[in-house]
Amino acid sequence: SVHDRICQRAGLIMSDEQTRLGELRVKIDSLDKKIMELISARAKCAQEVAHVKMAANPGQDVFFYRPEREAQVLRRIKEANPGPLAGEEMARLFREIMSACLALEKPMHIAFLGPIGTFTQAAALKHFGHSVVSVPLPAIDAVFREVESGAAHYGVVPVENSTEGMINHTLDMFMSSPLKICGEVQLRIHHHLLVSPEFRDQEITCIYSHQQSFAQCRQWLDTHRYGIERVTVSSNAEAARRAAKEPGAAAIAGDMAAELYGLEKLANSIEDRPDNTTRFLIIGREEVPASGHDKSSILVSMRNKPGALYQLLEPFHSHGISLTRIETRPSPSGTWAYVFYIDFEGHMDDEQAHKVLAEVDEEAVELKRLGSYPIGVL
């Protein structure tokens, strides 16, 4: 009958599909085994590198993490990636492999502006991978102290937001700290309006968040939650913690804080600018060699006289070096009229950069080299 023929044909199609899927699954299992063997071989090679370094420097505190080397590897991965995974996604996978291999000898301790669940922690994990020990600290100056003392290998602090500008406290810390900038990482910032599932049906009477987050969501709040009290707290994670236990409270925070405190999203991505991004700096105790695609940062104190800014900037122009950021900060002492924070393209060991800094040093009251470091890859 027609019915029987249809059922027979459907059965053949299902049989062909099951056969093909079975073949593909066998192939995937074989590839997974090869991937595991290759990752294990890479991990053993990383261990050998560590042993060679320790043997060559007996009794010394050996740095296994090489910021410039990792930047070079990740760039090469992105450039050589054949697809179909995007280059950024492939590099992220290798970032985690390198993080796990590095942790075989000794997991790095990374201090960050806490508490746990903040965007700064997300930036730390994006840059170093999830195999590090992340150490939350209550303030930016505490992060600097933790790294200066050697209790943490590196620190992660916010320095600039695309909506609200520079984080002045971070800039001011560099005036007195001996630490170097060893890297940078940019993080797309998505803010969500969060509530506890337990209090979801209750009217919202207050919203907790960090002052920066309120500023980055100002237009959305004025349009959709006008008149509701906005309470500033020390961090987005603290806002999420309070919202998790207070009836009628909501928080503006990111995905990590939402997951950490079990909150639901009343509204997604409420930041006013869709390209809202925060730049974070990696701070450490050693200088970073050139990676081939670098950025440098300096602090310059100039005398209070006509043409001071021109004298500072002219050498960069004459030697063809591009500035990516210049900020003015109040002087910590009465003898300095201007303190400029400057980012420029290139490494300080480059010939042209060396000439520029020599000319700047002649005119400046003080020139402080904060460090050269790889431009963020991820």
PDB file of all heavy atoms in Angstrom, residues 229-261:
ATOM      1  N   GLU A 229      14.847  55.347  43.584  1.00  0.00           N
ATOM      2  CA  GLU A 229      16.070  55.726  44.286  1.00  0.00           C
ATOM      3  C   GLU A 229      17.266  54.931  43.769  1.00  0.00           C
ATOM      4  O   GLU A 229      17.204  53.708  43.628  1.00  0.00           O
ATOM      5  CB  GLU A 229      15.918  55.478  45.785  1.00  0.00           C
ATOM      6  CG  GLU A 229      17.142  55.908  46.602  1.00  0.00           C
ATOM      7  CD  GLU A 229      17.009  55.580  48.073  1.00  0.00           C
ATOM      8  OE1 GLU A 229      16.069  54.834  48.434  1.00  0.00           O
ATOM      9  OE2 GLU A 229      17.862  56.053  48.858  1.00  0.00           O
ATOM     10  N   ARG A 230      18.361  55.649  43.505  1.00  0.00           N
ATOM     11  CA  ARG A 230      19.597  55.013  43.052  1.00  0.00           C
ATOM     12  C   ARG A 230      20.623  55.109  44.179  1.00  0.00           C
ATOM     13  O   ARG A 230      21.017  56.205  44.594  1.00  0.00           O
ATOM     14  CB  ARG A 230      20.125  55.698  41.792  1.00  0.00           C
ATOM     15  CG  ARG A 230      19.110  55.704  40.660  1.00  0.00           C
ATOM     16  CD  ARG A 230      19.577  56.536  39.467  1.00  0.00           C
ATOM     17  NE  ARG A 230      18.475  56.772  38.525  1.00  0.00           N
ATOM     18  CZ  ARG A 230      18.573  57.497  37.414  1.00  0.00           C
ATOM     19  NH1 ARG A 230      19.737  58.068  37.106  1.00  0.00           N
ATOM     20  NH2 ARG A 230      17.524  57.651  36.630  1.00  0.00           N
ATOM     21  N   VAL A 231      21.057  53.965  44.665  1.00  0.00           N
ATOM     22  CA  VAL A 231      21.956  53.907  45.814  1.00  0.00           C
ATOM     23  C   VAL A 231      23.339  53.446  45.343  1.00  0.00           C
ATOM     24  O   VAL A 231      23.490  52.330  44.833  1.00  0.00           O
ATOM     25  CB  VAL A 231      21.427  52.953  46.898  1.00  0.00           C
ATOM     26  CG1 VAL A 231      22.380  52.934  48.101  1.00  0.00           C
ATOM     27  CG2 VAL A 231      20.019  53.348  47.314  1.00  0.00           C
ATOM     28  N   THR A 232      24.329  54.298  45.519  1.00  0.00           N
ATOM     29  CA  THR A 232      25.696  53.982  45.089  1.00  0.00           C
ATOM     30  C   THR A 232      26.388  53.105  46.127  1.00  0.00           C
ATOM     31  O   THR A 232      26.364  53.408  47.324  1.00  0.00           O
ATOM     32  CB  THR A 232      26.503  55.280  44.888  1.00  0.00           C
ATOM     33  OG1 THR A 232      25.876  56.069  43.879  1.00  0.00           O
ATOM     34  CG2 THR A 232      27.930  54.964  44.470  1.00  0.00           C
ATOM     35  N   VAL A 233      27.002  52.013  45.660  1.00  0.00           N
ATOM     36  CA  VAL A 233      27.766  51.110  46.533  1.00  0.00           C
ATOM     37  C   VAL A 233      29.164  50.933  45.945  1.00  0.00           C
ATOM     38  O   VAL A 233      29.477  51.453  44.876  1.00  0.00           O
ATOM     39  CB  VAL A 233      27.056  49.746  46.696  1.00  0.00           C
ATOM     40  CG1 VAL A 233      25.762  49.905  47.472  1.00  0.00           C
ATOM     41  CG2 VAL A 233      26.788  49.107  45.341  1.00  0.00           C
ATOM     42  N   SER A 234      29.994  50.183  46.643  1.00  0.00           N
ATOM     43  CA  SER A 234      31.421  50.105  46.301  1.00  0.00           C
ATOM     44  C   SER A 234      31.709  49.342  45.016  1.00  0.00           C
ATOM     45  O   SER A 234      32.755  49.537  44.394  1.00  0.00           O
ATOM     46  CB  SER A 234      32.199  49.459  47.451  1.00  0.00           C
ATOM     47  OG  SER A 234      31.700  48.155  47.717  1.00  0.00           O
ATOM     48  N   SER A 235      30.806  48.458  44.595  1.00  0.00           N
ATOM     49  CA  SER A 235      31.044  47.662  43.385  1.00  0.00           C
ATOM     50  C   SER A 235      29.720  47.093  42.891  1.00  0.00           C
ATOM     51  O   SER A 235      28.729  47.037  43.631  1.00  0.00           O
ATOM     52  CB  SER A 235      32.027  46.517  43.665  1.00  0.00           C
ATOM     53  OG  SER A 235      31.418  45.541  44.490  1.00  0.00           O
ATOM     54  N   ASN A 236      29.722  46.638  41.638  1.00  0.00           N
ATOM     55  CA  ASN A 236      28.534  45.987  41.095  1.00  0.00           C
ATOM     56  C   ASN A 236      28.244  44.669  41.804  1.00  0.00           C
ATOM     57  O   ASN A 236      27.085  44.280  41.961  1.00  0.00           O
ATOM     58  CB  ASN A 236      28.712  45.729  39.597  1.00  0.00           C
ATOM     59  CG  ASN A 236      28.725  47.021  38.807  1.00  0.00           C
ATOM     60  OD1 ASN A 236      28.212  48.028  39.255  1.00  0.00           O
ATOM     61  ND2 ASN A 236      29.315  46.987  37.620  1.00  0.00           N
ATOM     62  N   ALA A 237      29.301  43.961  42.209  1.00  0.00           N
ATOM     63  CA  ALA A 237      29.110  42.709  42.928  1.00  0.00           C
ATOM     64  C   ALA A 237      28.429  42.959  44.277  1.00  0.00           C
ATOM     65  O   ALA A 237      27.565  42.186  44.703  1.00  0.00           O
ATOM     66  CB  ALA A 237      30.448  42.007  43.131  1.00  0.00           C
ATOM     67  N   GLU A 238      28.820  44.037  44.956  1.00  0.00           N
ATOM     68  CA  GLU A 238      28.156  44.397  46.210  1.00  0.00           C
ATOM     69  C   GLU A 238      26.699  44.746  45.965  1.00  0.00           C
ATOM     70  O   GLU A 238      25.807  44.393  46.761  1.00  0.00           O
ATOM     71  CB  GLU A 238      28.880  45.562  46.867  1.00  0.00           C
ATOM     72  CG  GLU A 238      28.189  46.173  48.088  1.00  0.00           C
ATOM     73  CD  GLU A 238      28.022  45.201  49.243  1.00  0.00           C
ATOM     74  OE1 GLU A 238      28.700  44.150  49.258  1.00  0.00           O
ATOM     75  OE2 GLU A 238      27.206  45.502  50.147  1.00  0.00           O
ATOM     76  N   ALA A 239      26.414  45.416  44.849  1.00  0.00           N
ATOM     77  CA  ALA A 239      25.027  45.724  44.488  1.00  0.00           C
ATOM     78  C   ALA A 239      24.223  44.449  44.302  1.00  0.00           C
ATOM     79  O   ALA A 239      23.088  44.328  44.784  1.00  0.00           O
ATOM     80  CB  ALA A 239      25.001  46.564  43.213  1.00  0.00           C
ATOM     81  N   ALA A 240      24.806  43.473  43.616  1.00  0.00           N
ATOM     82  CA  ALA A 240      24.116  42.201  43.393  1.00  0.00           C
ATOM     83  C   ALA A 240      23.891  41.461  44.708  1.00  0.00           C
ATOM     84  O   ALA A 240      22.827  40.856  44.914  1.00  0.00           O
ATOM     85  CB  ALA A 240      24.928  41.345  42.431  1.00  0.00           C
ATOM     86  N   ARG A 241      24.864  41.519  45.590  1.00  0.00           N
ATOM     87  CA  ARG A 241      24.724  40.849  46.892  1.00  0.00           C
ATOM     88  C   ARG A 241      23.562  41.425  47.683  1.00  0.00           C
ATOM     89  O   ARG A 241      22.764  40.684  48.284  1.00  0.00           O
ATOM     90  CB  ARG A 241      26.028  40.971  47.683  1.00  0.00           C
ATOM     91  CG  ARG A 241      26.056  40.185  48.987  1.00  0.00           C
ATOM     92  CD  ARG A 241      27.263  40.540  49.829  1.00  0.00           C
ATOM     93  NE  ARG A 241      27.178  41.902  50.359  1.00  0.00           N
ATOM     94  CZ  ARG A 241      26.467  42.237  51.437  1.00  0.00           C
ATOM     95  NH1 ARG A 241      25.754  41.316  52.091  1.00  0.00           N
ATOM     96  NH2 ARG A 241      26.460  43.486  51.859  1.00  0.00           N
ATOM     97  N   ARG A 242      23.431  42.742  47.655  1.00  0.00           N
ATOM     98  CA  ARG A 242      22.331  43.374  48.394  1.00  0.00           C
ATOM     99  C   ARG A 242      20.982  43.056  47.765  1.00  0.00           C
ATOM    100  O   ARG A 242      20.000  42.776  48.468  1.00  0.00           O
ATOM    101  CB  ARG A 242      22.550  44.889  48.436  1.00  0.00           C
ATOM    102  CG  ARG A 242      23.759  45.312  49.249  1.00  0.00           C
ATOM    103  CD  ARG A 242      23.739  46.800  49.537  1.00  0.00           C
ATOM    104  NE  ARG A 242      24.927  47.243  50.224  1.00  0.00           N
ATOM    105  CZ  ARG A 242      25.031  48.421  50.845  1.00  0.00           C
ATOM    106  NH1 ARG A 242      24.013  49.274  50.839  1.00  0.00           N
ATOM    107  NH2 ARG A 242      26.150  48.756  51.453  1.00  0.00           N
ATOM    108  N   ALA A 243      20.931  43.088  46.437  1.00  0.00           N
ATOM    109  CA  ALA A 243      19.665  42.815  45.757  1.00  0.00           C
ATOM    110  C   ALA A 243      19.202  41.385  45.984  1.00  0.00           C
ATOM    111  O   ALA A 243      17.997  41.101  45.960  1.00  0.00           O
ATOM    112  CB  ALA A 243      19.803  43.093  44.266  1.00  0.00           C
ATOM    113  N   ALA A 244      20.157  40.481  46.214  1.00  0.00           N
ATOM    114  CA  ALA A 244      19.808  39.080  46.402  1.00  0.00           C
ATOM    115  C   ALA A 244      19.043  38.832  47.699  1.00  0.00           C
ATOM    116  O   ALA A 244      18.322  37.837  47.818  1.00  0.00           O
ATOM    117  CB  ALA A 244      21.071  38.226  46.370  1.00  0.00           C
ATOM    118  N   LYS A 245      19.165  39.750  48.661  1.00  0.00           N
ATOM    119  CA  LYS A 245      18.539  39.486  49.965  1.00  0.00           C
ATOM    120  C   LYS A 245      17.549  40.558  50.409  1.00  0.00           C
ATOM    121  O   LYS A 245      16.953  40.424  51.474  1.00  0.00           O
ATOM    122  CB  LYS A 245      19.623  39.309  51.020  1.00  0.00           C
ATOM    123  CG  LYS A 245      20.474  40.546  51.273  1.00  0.00           C
ATOM    124  CD  LYS A 245      21.524  40.275  52.348  1.00  0.00           C
ATOM    125  CE  LYS A 245      22.324  41.530  52.679  1.00  0.00           C
ATOM    126  NZ  LYS A 245      23.324  41.297  53.733  1.00  0.00           N
ATOM    127  N   GLU A 246      17.377  41.628  49.609  1.00  0.00           N
ATOM    128  CA  GLU A 246      16.495  42.715  50.031  1.00  0.00           C
ATOM    129  C   GLU A 246      15.241  42.775  49.165  1.00  0.00           C
ATOM    130  O   GLU A 246      15.345  42.966  47.939  1.00  0.00           O
ATOM    131  CB  GLU A 246      17.229  44.060  49.952  1.00  0.00           C
ATOM    132  CG  GLU A 246      18.361  44.203  50.955  1.00  0.00           C
ATOM    133  CD  GLU A 246      18.985  45.593  50.917  1.00  0.00           C
ATOM    134  OE1 GLU A 246      18.306  46.526  50.420  1.00  0.00           O
ATOM    135  OE2 GLU A 246      20.134  45.744  51.364  1.00  0.00           O
ATOM    136  N   PRO A 247      14.054  42.652  49.747  1.00  0.00           N
ATOM    137  CA  PRO A 247      12.815  42.808  48.975  1.00  0.00           C
ATOM    138  C   PRO A 247      12.721  44.221  48.396  1.00  0.00           C
ATOM    139  O   PRO A 247      13.090  45.200  49.051  1.00  0.00           O
ATOM    140  CB  PRO A 247      11.718  42.574  50.021  1.00  0.00           C
ATOM    141  CG  PRO A 247      12.389  41.829  51.134  1.00  0.00           C
ATOM    142  CD  PRO A 247      13.799  42.305  51.151  1.00  0.00           C
ATOM    143  N   GLY A 248      12.286  44.323  47.161  1.00  0.00           N
ATOM    144  CA  GLY A 248      12.119  45.624  46.528  1.00  0.00           C
ATOM    145  C   GLY A 248      13.393  46.233  45.989  1.00  0.00           C
ATOM    146  O   GLY A 248      13.384  47.360  45.502  1.00  0.00           O
ATOM    147  N   ALA A 249      14.508  45.492  46.078  1.00  0.00           N
ATOM    148  CA  ALA A 249      15.790  46.011  45.610  1.00  0.00           C
ATOM    149  C   ALA A 249      16.179  45.364  44.286  1.00  0.00           C
ATOM    150  O   ALA A 249      15.920  44.181  44.055  1.00  0.00           O
ATOM    151  CB  ALA A 249      16.883  45.765  46.644  1.00  0.00           C
ATOM    152  N   ALA A 250      16.786  46.153  43.433  1.00  0.00           N
ATOM    153  CA  ALA A 250      17.361  45.657  42.180  1.00  0.00           C
ATOM    154  C   ALA A 250      18.818  46.089  42.125  1.00  0.00           C
ATOM    155  O   ALA A 250      19.260  46.930  42.911  1.00  0.00           O
ATOM    156  CB  ALA A 250      16.589  46.197  40.982  1.00  0.00           C
ATOM    157  N   ALA A 251      19.562  45.518  41.199  1.00  0.00           N
ATOM    158  CA  ALA A 251      20.977  45.862  41.030  1.00  0.00           C
ATOM    159  C   ALA A 251      21.291  46.026  39.555  1.00  0.00           C
ATOM    160  O   ALA A 251      20.668  45.388  38.701  1.00  0.00           O
ATOM    161  CB  ALA A 251      21.865  44.780  41.636  1.00  0.00           C
ATOM    162  N   ILE A 252      22.241  46.900  39.275  1.00  0.00           N
ATOM    163  CA  ILE A 252      22.824  46.967  37.932  1.00  0.00           C
ATOM    164  C   ILE A 252      24.196  46.319  38.028  1.00  0.00           C
ATOM    165  O   ILE A 252      25.061  46.779  38.769  1.00  0.00           O
ATOM    166  CB  ILE A 252      22.953  48.416  37.439  1.00  0.00           C
ATOM    167  CG1 ILE A 252      21.566  49.039  37.280  1.00  0.00           C
ATOM    168  CG2 ILE A 252      23.705  48.462  36.117  1.00  0.00           C
ATOM    169  CD1 ILE A 252      21.602  50.505  36.892  1.00  0.00           C
ATOM    170  N   ALA A 253      24.371  45.229  37.292  1.00  0.00           N
ATOM    171  CA  ALA A 253      25.626  44.478  37.346  1.00  0.00           C
ATOM    172  C   ALA A 253      25.740  43.621  36.093  1.00  0.00           C
ATOM    173  O   ALA A 253      24.841  43.618  35.248  1.00  0.00           O
ATOM    174  CB  ALA A 253      25.700  43.628  38.618  1.00  0.00           C
ATOM    175  N   GLY A 254      26.845  42.879  36.013  1.00  0.00           N
ATOM    176  CA  GLY A 254      27.108  42.056  34.841  1.00  0.00           C
ATOM    177  C   GLY A 254      26.773  40.595  35.055  1.00  0.00           C
ATOM    178  O   GLY A 254      26.222  40.195  36.088  1.00  0.00           O
ATOM    179  N   ASP A 255      27.150  39.791  34.079  1.00  0.00           N
ATOM    180  CA  ASP A 255      26.795  38.371  34.087  1.00  0.00           C
ATOM    181  C   ASP A 255      27.433  37.614  35.242  1.00  0.00           C
ATOM    182  O   ASP A 255      26.799  36.740  35.837  1.00  0.00           O
ATOM    183  CB  ASP A 255      27.208  37.721  32.758  1.00  0.00           C
ATOM    184  CG  ASP A 255      26.355  38.197  31.594  1.00  0.00           C
ATOM    185  OD1 ASP A 255      25.124  38.272  31.760  1.00  0.00           O
ATOM    186  OD2 ASP A 255      26.921  38.507  30.532  1.00  0.00           O
ATOM    187  N   MET A 256      28.708  37.921  35.563  1.00  0.00           N
ATOM    188  CA  MET A 256      29.375  37.190  36.641  1.00  0.00           C
ATOM    189  C   MET A 256      28.672  37.398  37.973  1.00  0.00           C
ATOM    190  O   MET A 256      28.438  36.444  38.722  1.00  0.00           O
ATOM    191  CB  MET A 256      30.842  37.628  36.755  1.00  0.00           C
ATOM    192  CG  MET A 256      31.759  37.032  35.710  1.00  0.00           C
ATOM    193  SD  MET A 256      33.517  37.340  36.066  1.00  0.00           S
ATOM    194  CE  MET A 256      33.755  36.308  37.516  1.00  0.00           C
ATOM    195  N   ALA A 257      28.297  38.631  38.263  1.00  0.00           N
ATOM    196  CA  ALA A 257      27.609  38.922  39.520  1.00  0.00           C
ATOM    197  C   ALA A 257      26.223  38.294  39.537  1.00  0.00           C
ATOM    198  O   ALA A 257      25.777  37.787  40.572  1.00  0.00           O
ATOM    199  CB  ALA A 257      27.505  40.434  39.720  1.00  0.00           C
ATOM    200  N   ALA A 258      25.537  38.315  38.395  1.00  0.00           N
ATOM    201  CA  ALA A 258      24.204  37.708  38.323  1.00  0.00           C
ATOM    202  C   ALA A 258      24.270  36.221  38.619  1.00  0.00           C
ATOM    203  O   ALA A 258      23.451  35.673  39.377  1.00  0.00           O
ATOM    204  CB  ALA A 258      23.604  37.955  36.941  1.00  0.00           C
ATOM    205  N   GLU A 259      25.262  35.548  38.026  1.00  0.00           N
ATOM    206  CA  GLU A 259      25.405  34.108  38.249  1.00  0.00           C
ATOM    207  C   GLU A 259      25.836  33.811  39.678  1.00  0.00           C
ATOM    208  O   GLU A 259      25.344  32.865  40.302  1.00  0.00           O
ATOM    209  CB  GLU A 259      26.432  33.554  37.260  1.00  0.00           C
ATOM    210  CG  GLU A 259      26.629  32.059  37.348  1.00  0.00           C
ATOM    211  CD  GLU A 259      27.601  31.530  36.318  1.00  0.00           C
ATOM    212  OE1 GLU A 259      27.975  32.309  35.405  1.00  0.00           O
ATOM    213  OE2 GLU A 259      27.988  30.362  36.413  1.00  0.00           O
ATOM    214  N   LEU A 260      26.746  34.623  40.197  1.00  0.00           N
ATOM    215  CA  LEU A 260      27.275  34.396  41.541  1.00  0.00           C
ATOM    216  C   LEU A 260      26.173  34.472  42.595  1.00  0.00           C
ATOM    217  O   LEU A 260      26.131  33.665  43.530  1.00  0.00           O
ATOM    218  CB  LEU A 260      28.369  35.424  41.839  1.00  0.00           C
ATOM    219  CG  LEU A 260      29.033  35.351  43.203  1.00  0.00           C
ATOM    220  CD1 LEU A 260      29.791  34.037  43.365  1.00  0.00           C
ATOM    221  CD2 LEU A 260      29.984  36.530  43.397  1.00  0.00           C
ATOM    222  N   TYR A 261      25.249  35.432  42.456  1.00  0.00           N
ATOM    223  CA  TYR A 261      24.226  35.647  43.471  1.00  0.00           C
ATOM    224  C   TYR A 261      22.846  35.152  43.047  1.00  0.00           C
ATOM    225  O   TYR A 261      21.848  35.416  43.714  1.00  0.00           O
ATOM    226  CB  TYR A 261      24.169  37.139  43.837  1.00  0.00           C
ATOM    227  CG  TYR A 261      25.422  37.589  44.552  1.00  0.00           C
ATOM    228  CD1 TYR A 261      26.418  38.296  43.881  1.00  0.00           C
ATOM    229  CD2 TYR A 261      25.627  37.284  45.893  1.00  0.00           C
ATOM    230  CE1 TYR A 261      27.578  38.700  44.527  1.00  0.00           C
ATOM    231  CE2 TYR A 261      26.781  37.683  46.555  1.00  0.00           C
ATOM    232  CZ  TYR A 261      27.748  38.384  45.868  1.00  0.00           C
ATOM    233  OH  TYR A 261      28.899  38.769  46.516  1.00  0.00           O
TER     234      TYR A 261
END
